[in-house]
Amino acid sequence: MGKFVITKRVNGEFQFNLKAGNGQTILASEGYTTKAACENGIESVRKNSQEDGRYERKESSNGKYYFNLKATNGQIIGSSEMYESVASRENGIESVKKNAPDGVVEDQTA
């Protein structure tokens, strides 16, 4: 089962990573000024992860592939790692769809 891990950045911002059952990070958030905002981001990922249209599939300037998950307002709520192929990127999207809805939250800032 997947999990959302909340951590604190050096600059004091909160962030979360969605990790698959094997511990691999499949989605990373932006920085949030408060833990409450970070928790809202997690809820947004849970809600939006099931809609394929919320995934923005991209190719980086170095030829690697990644995706952004966007909220209904178009704001990016999470970004993937870089993938070597389109197929790997699609597997990453499927992993987010599978792990996000029931992912438990592990708060490592407490």
Side-chain angles (χ1 to χ4, degrees), residues 24-98:
Q24 184 180 8
T25 299
I26 49 179
L27 195 71
S29 77
E30 63 182 358
Y32 295 95
T33 53
T34 65
K35 190 186 292 186
C38 187
E39 290 166 342
N40 286 342
I42 290 171
E43 285 308 309
S44 186
V45 169
R46 284 189 171 133
K47 279 191 298 213
N48 291 288
S49 64
Q50 300 309 294
E51 289 192 45
D52 196 65
R54 299 270 186 260
Y55 292 91
E56 179 184 43
R57 292 159 170 88
K58 308 277 279 178
E59 183 178 348
S60 68
S61 57
N62 66 358
K64 296 196 187 257
Y65 303 91
Y66 69 102
F67 62 87
N68 294 319
L69 177 61
K70 292 188 164 187
T72 46
N73 64 4
Q75 184 178 1
I76 295 172
I77 47 179
S79 299
S80 73
E81 64 178 352
M82 293 292 174
Y83 295 99
E84 295 295 328
S85 68
V86 171
S88 296
R89 179 183 64 197
E90 293 304 312
N91 287 342
I93 291 171
E94 289 308 311
S95 187
V96 171
K97 287 179 181 178
K98 189 177 96 181

